[in-house]
Amino acid sequence: MVSCNDYLETKPKSFVTPEFYYRNESELTAALMGVYSELGNTNESTYSRFLSLEAPSSNDEQLRRGANTAIIADLYNTSASYDNFFNCWTTLYSGIQRANLLLKNIDKAVASQSIKDNIRGEALFLRAYYHFILVGYWGDVPLKLASTNSVNHVNVAKTSSSEVYSKIMEDMALAFNLVDDSFALGNVGRVSKNAISGILARVYLHAAGRLKNPSFYNQARSLTQEIIQSDKYSLNPDYKQIFINHTANIYDLKESLWEVEFFFDNSSSSSNEHERFGSTIGIRNRDNKTGFAQGNYTATGLLFDLYREGDKRRDWNIAPFYYLDNDKNNGTAEYLPNYKWGRYVAKWRREYQTGVYNKNFGGVNWPLLRYADVLLMFAEAENEVNNGPTADAYNAINQVRRRAYGFPVNQANTITDLPPGLNKDTFFKWVKDERSRELAFEGLRKLDLLRWGLLESTMQEMITIINSTAPGGSQNPLGYSGRDATLRPYQNFTSRDVVFPIPTQEMSLNRLITQNTGW
C-alpha cells in the first residue's frame, strides 16, 4: 500500500561499495592491504596453515606425525568435497577478486601518479601470484582478469596452464616496472622489485618443467643473476638466526626478500592474519606459557641422511632432542644417534616468540623468498642454460653450502665445496639435494618435485626406503608411530594426486568447469 513512496534508502551505511571507495591514497593503500591479507587469511586456508604445512606435505622431506587415520590432504585420502581444498581455492580467488576491484577503480582516486603506479604494480603482482599458487596445485584453472560484479557470474571455464603461466609472467614483468622500492623500504611484507624478480624466476622454473619448455631457464637465469649482482643481499652468517628472526618479528633485509606477516594472536576481531603453523609444527610441547606445539610434522629419515656431519642446518631444522613428558619445564633429553625417523620439525621454535603469547596463534612470519633460494635457482638455471655447470653456478651453490657449515661464504673451502668436473646431471642432483637441505619445510619441495617430473617416482621410492630403513615399531616419545603409519601417505598417493581436485562446491556452481583427472 506504500510502494509508491520513496521510503527505502539505497545508499549503504554499514559497508562500503566500490562506487563510494578508492577515492584517495589512504583508501587505495587499505584496499591493497586487503589484497595482501589473503596470503595469511585467518581461516587457515593459505599460509596460516594449509599452504605452509598440509598442502606441500607429505614428501621426501616431511610427513604428518603418527598413526593418523584422518581424512586430510597430506595423507592423500581426501575427496573433492574436502573443506580445505574449497577454503584455499576460494581464498585465493578472493585475493584475485580484491586485486581486480582495485585495478578497476584505481584511476578514479585523487593521488599522485607515483602512488597509483606502485599500488597498481603490487596489485598486478599479487593477482599473478595467487594465480601461480592455483596453477601450481590445481593445474588448469580459470584465469580471472576482471572483477565479478554479480552473484550470477559463476560460470567460468578453465584456462590452459600455458596461458595462465603466460599471463602470470606478463603481469609480474609489468609489476616490476611499476613498483617503487621506496614503498617496501625496511619492510619485507610488501614486495620490492627484487622480490618480484625472484618470484618471477621461480615462475619461469616451474613453467620450464611443467610446460616442458626449457627456454624459460634463460629468463630465470637472467633474473636471479640481476638480483645477485645488485649487491643488496647476502646470506646471514648464522643459519638458525634466519628463523629466530621470523619468530621474533625481526626483519632481515639481507637474507629475506619477501615474507607473509602475521599478528601475534587472534584477539583482534578487526585483523585477518593469524598464524597457526607455529603451534602445529615444532617440538611437541604442552607448556602453554612459552611454547605450546602439537608437533604434527616430522622429518623423514631420508632428509636426515642428506645432511653430513658438520652441517649446522641438520640439528636446527630437525630437532636433536625432545621435551620430557612433552613438557618443556621438565628439561630435555638427547635422541639416540640411530633415531632418524620421527624427529620433530624444529625450524621455527616458539621459545623465541616475542609479544603477546597465545597458545594456538603466533606472530611467526612465513618466508616466501630468501636469498639462499635465489642463489640455488641461479645455479639450477645456469646449469640448464649451459648444458653443465659454470664457475658462476658452482660459486652460487657453494656460498649456500659454506654458510651451512659456518665458514665464510666467499672463501673456497675443501670441506664444503662441490667436487669439480660435474656434468649437467650430476650437478643437478647436487642442486636438488641442496634445495632440500637448505629450504626444508618451507613449502617448496612438493612443487619442486612436480616441476622436475619426479613427484610420482619419489613417492614410490619412499615406500622402498621406509620399508628398508625405518623402524618397525613406534619410538616414544618421538613423533614416530611405526612403519605402517609412516607408509600410509606414500601408499595412498596415486597419479591423481599430482594436482588437487576442483572443489565440489565449485563444480556444483560453475557449469563450465571440468574436474581434474582421477577425481
Side-chain angles (χ1 to χ4, degrees), residues 145-426:
L145 303 178
S147 60
T148 300
N149 299 318
S150 169
V151 294
N152 297 317
H153 296 164
V154 295
N155 298 310
V156 185
K158 288 181 179 178
T159 306
S160 69
S161 294
S162 60
E163 188 174 342
V164 176
Y165 276 115
S166 178
K167 186 57 179 175
I168 292 168
M169 296 168 187
E170 178 186 332
D171 279 356
M172 287 190 179
L174 178 57
F176 175 88
N177 291 325
L178 291 170
V179 164
D180 183 342
D181 278 345
S182 64
F183 289 89
L185 188 65
N187 185 338
V188 292
R190 292 180 69 169
V191 292
S192 63
K193 284 183 178 293
N194 281 322
I196 292 172
S197 290
I199 295 296
L200 181 52
R202 184 181 295 167
V203 171
Y204 280 124
L205 290 179
H206 279 252
R210 297 285 289 271
L211 302 180
K212 296 179 171 49
N213 186 344
S215 68
F216 289 128
Y217 285 115
N218 286 288
Q219 289 95 325
R221 174 191 174 278
S222 296
L223 288 169
T224 49
Q225 186 177 51
E226 288 172 7
I227 296 172
I228 294 167
Q229 292 177 346
S230 73
D231 291 329
K232 291 184 177 181
Y233 305 96
S234 59
L235 296 174
N236 191 314
D238 187 352
Y239 179 76
K240 69 178 184 294
Q241 189 62 42
I242 301 166
F243 311 100
I244 293 174
N245 289 342
H246 292 158
T247 307
N249 200 32
I250 298 171
Y251 287 136
D252 181 350
L253 301 178
K254 292 293 188 179
E255 174 85 26
S256 182
L257 279 78
W258 190 28
E259 299 173 6
V260 182
E261 298 179 294
F262 288 101
F263 288 93
F264 284 110
D265 60 44
N266 68 331
S267 60
S268 173
S269 60
S270 63
S271 62
N272 194 40
E273 294 169 271
H274 311 304
E275 168 262 302
R276 280 294 304 272
F277 71 83
S279 64
T280 305
I281 58 171
I283 306 164
R284 195 178 181 195
N285 178 23
R286 291 194 306 227
D287 181 7
N288 292 338
K289 293 181 180 179
T290 57
F292 172 82
Q294 294 172 302
N296 278 356
Y297 290 85
T298 65
T300 66
L302 181 65
L303 176 63
F304 183 90
D305 285 337
L306 277 182
Y307 295 103
R308 297 293 178 261
E309 289 300 320
D311 191 330
K312 299 177 182 296
R313 297 173 297 189
R314 188 191 69 186
D315 287 347
W316 180 259
N317 293 339
I318 306 172
F321 60 88
Y322 62 91
Y323 295 122
L324 289 175
D325 298 324
N326 298 326
D327 191 336
K328 182 177 177 180
N329 292 331
N330 286 342
T332 62
E334 293 294 326
Y335 282 126
L336 296 178
N338 61 339
Y339 279 21
K340 297 180 180 179
W341 292 86
R343 295 191 183 220
Y344 293 109
V345 172
K347 203 162 198 173
W348 297 273
R349 306 185 186 186
R350 298 196 76 191
E351 63 195 86
Y352 295 100
Q353 183 176 309
T354 58
V356 179
Y357 180 77
N358 183 290
K359 174 182 175 181
N360 292 315
F361 296 91
V364 184
N365 283 3
W366 180 260
L368 292 176
L369 181 64
R370 293 198 287 115
Y371 184 57
D373 191 4
V374 173
L375 290 170
L376 294 175
M377 286 193 291
F378 171 77
E380 178 182 348
E382 178 81 348
N383 182 51
E384 294 289 338
V385 169
N386 293 284
N387 199 35
T390 63
D392 287 339
Y394 269 99
N395 183 53
I397 191 172
N398 283 338
Q399 286 186 55
V400 176
R401 291 180 53 76
R402 292 165 192 161
R403 190 263 300 272
Y405 288 77
F407 295 116
V409 299
N410 292 317
Q411 294 179 17
N413 191 292
T414 57
I415 296 174
T416 62
D417 290 3
L418 268 57
L422 297 174
N423 61 30
K424 178 182 177 181
D425 292 338
T426 53

